[in-house]
Amino acid sequence: MELIDGKKISEEIKLELKEKVAKLKEQGKEATLAVIQVGQDPASSIYVKNKKKACEYIGVGSVSYELSENTTEEKLLSIIDELNERSDITGILVQLPLPKHIDEDKVIKRIDPKKDVDGFHVENVGALVVGEEGFVSCTPNGVIQLLKRSNVDITGKHAVIIGRSNIVGKPMALLMLRENATVTVCHSKTKNLKEICKEADILIVAMGKPRFVDHEYIKEGAVVIDVGIHRDENNKICGDVNFDDVKEHTSKITPVPGGVGPMTIAMLMYNVVSAIED
Ligand code: NAD
């Protein structure tokens, strides 16, 4: 069994981006990411802080909007309109989740697709479906990088994905299809989940259920990617996969923490940089 080291791979990517940003600066191209947070959800505040830190590290600008919990939808939309117009702002990110009185869909659709570095806008999702260029959702794109940079051959492999959310499962399936895998998507209504997973050469788990997947779901020698992040009853971080039970049955596996987690910000930075590349 070999560990897929997401921390190391994400650092490699950020270093490559840092070098690219320096070159783009010489050509007079600069990126600035606008990050908008509504309310003070502690987890969101940590994510926002880490995103700003990553911008600083790779050498791109960031501006942040910390809006109060009771900000109106109208106010948020008007800030997005303003940022869409500003030529110095090259990427816009609205930290989710938003307070209940704000329609997330409406907010995402308001972002200029060319500045939608999260890759959530329907125009970017549509581009992924038909194989056109566009921003790709960061977490699933990070999984592709983990596989490629760990020399996992994806072509012709049977990839099973557990989860069909708009931000992980669905784009993950499309990306694996683009990489020529044979793809099966499982979800909460899937029958015979265990049997299907046992046929996977590459099993990608994004179901939001702590340590759900044990060795009975694993074909001997499979590659296992765990997207889940939870805190267990002892406040320990764990994934959707029961790592200790599964690891010896895999050829390669991502740990939690230190697997998929660090890749999300690295791929966000990738999108921020690609916004100014052409
Ligand atoms: P979600 O709750 O939106 O989706 C979960 C999916 O799993 C659903 O499509 C559901 O149908 C499926 N599912 C749930 N129970 C199931 C079951 N018993 N059998 C089969 N399928 C089942 O979650 P999400 O936003 O896609 O996130 C999934 C996990 O990944 C969560 O643990 C989340 O915290 C984590 N996550 C991590 C990152 C990262 O940066 N590493 C980013 C996003 C999400």
Side-chain angles (χ1 to χ4, degrees), residues 156-167:
K157 295 285 158 54
H158 184 193
V160 174
I161 296 153
I162 315 183
R164 58 171 165 182
S165 70
N166 286 342
I167 61 164

Side-chain angles (χ1 to χ4, degrees), residues 34 54 64 78 107 129 133 146 152 176 203 222 230 246 252 261-262 276:
S64 57
S78 78
V107 168
V129 175
E133 290 232 339
L146 283 179
V152 174
M176 291 302 277
L203 178 64
H230 314 274
V246 159
K252 294 180 195 230
I276 56 162

Side-chain angles (χ1 to χ4, degrees), residues 25-46:
K25 263 192 193 148
E26 285 168 15
Q27 301 165 24
K29 292 181 180 173
E30 295 203 26
T32 300
L33 173 67
V35 182
I36 306 173
Q37 185 182 355
V38 185
Q40 285 165 341
D41 173 60
S44 291
S45 299
I46 294 172

Side-chain angles (χ1 to χ4, degrees), residues 47 139 162-169 186-190 193 205-209 212 226-230 239-240 260-265:
Y47 291 136
T139 302
I162 315 183
R164 58 171 165 182
S165 70
N166 286 342
I167 61 164
V168 188
C186 300
H187 48 79
S188 53
K189 303 281 189 290
T190 297
L193 183 66
V205 190
M207 63 195 301
K209 298 263 179 291
F212 184 96
D226 187 354
V227 183
I229 308 181
H230 314 274
D240 289 346
V260 176
M263 294 301 291
T264 301
I265 287 189

Side-chain angles (χ1 to χ4, degrees), residues 63-276:
V63 291
S64 57
Y65 290 75
E66 281 145 36
L67 308 177
S68 79
E69 181 80 23
N70 48 25
T71 302
T72 62
E73 184 180 285
E74 203 186 352
K75 173 74 183 160
L76 178 57
L77 293 173
S78 78
I79 292 173
I80 293 172
D81 288 343
E82 190 189 305
L83 294 169
N84 282 340
E85 289 301 317
R86 274 175 59 177
S87 58
D88 60 321
I89 300 294
T90 51
I92 302 171
L93 183 154
V94 178
Q95 185 64 43
L96 302 179
L98 288 168
K100 295 222 170 359
H101 65 278
I102 300 178
D103 181 347
E104 275 183 10
D105 267 0
K106 202 165 164 188
V107 168
I108 292 167
K109 282 195 185 124
R110 194 70 157 246
I111 299 172
D112 179 346
K114 292 191 177 57
K115 297 188 179 185
D116 166 43
V117 286
D118 257 337
F120 293 163
H121 192 288
V122 281
E123 202 169 294
N124 284 314
V125 178
L128 179 60
V129 175
V130 294
E132 281 179 18
E133 290 232 339
F135 291 115
V136 175
S137 180
C138 304
T139 302
N141 211 13
V143 171
I144 297 292
Q145 285 301 313
L146 283 179
L147 292 170
K148 287 191 170 172
R149 290 176 186 243
S150 307
N151 300 316
V152 174
D153 187 13
I154 304 175
T155 300
K157 295 285 158 54
H158 184 193
V160 174
I161 296 153
I162 315 183
R164 58 171 165 182
S165 70
N166 286 342
I167 61 164
V168 188
K170 275 187 217 160
M172 191 71 252
L174 291 164
L175 285 170
M176 291 302 277
L177 202 54
R178 190 165 87 178
E179 298 297 330
N180 299 313
T182 301
V183 179
T184 303
V185 182
C186 300
H187 48 79
S188 53
K189 303 281 189 290
T190 297
K191 292 181 180 133
N192 310 325
L193 183 66
K194 221 177 252 187
E195 288 72 17
I196 297 168
C197 291
K198 237 185 144 77
E199 288 184 4
D201 301 310
I202 302 170
L203 178 64
I204 302 173
V205 190
M207 63 195 301
K209 298 263 179 291
R211 298 195 179 102
F212 184 96
V213 170
D214 65 17
H215 71 275
E216 291 183 9
Y217 289 73
I218 310 293
K219 174 163 93 175
E220 213 53 43
V223 174
V224 176
I225 305 287
D226 187 354
V227 183
I229 308 181
H230 314 274
R231 271 197 191 274
D232 71 7
E233 56 288 355
N234 302 317
N235 212 25
K236 205 174 157 230
I237 295 176
C238 70
D240 289 346
V241 175
N242 185 337
F243 182 84
D244 290 333
D245 186 65
V246 159
K247 63 181 179 192
E248 292 313 329
H249 300 274
T250 68
S251 57
K252 294 180 195 230
I253 182 168
T254 57
V256 180
V260 176
M263 294 301 291
T264 301
I265 287 189
M267 297 318 287
L268 173 69
M269 293 302 112
Y270 174 86
N271 283 349
V272 169
V273 175
S274 46
I276 56 162

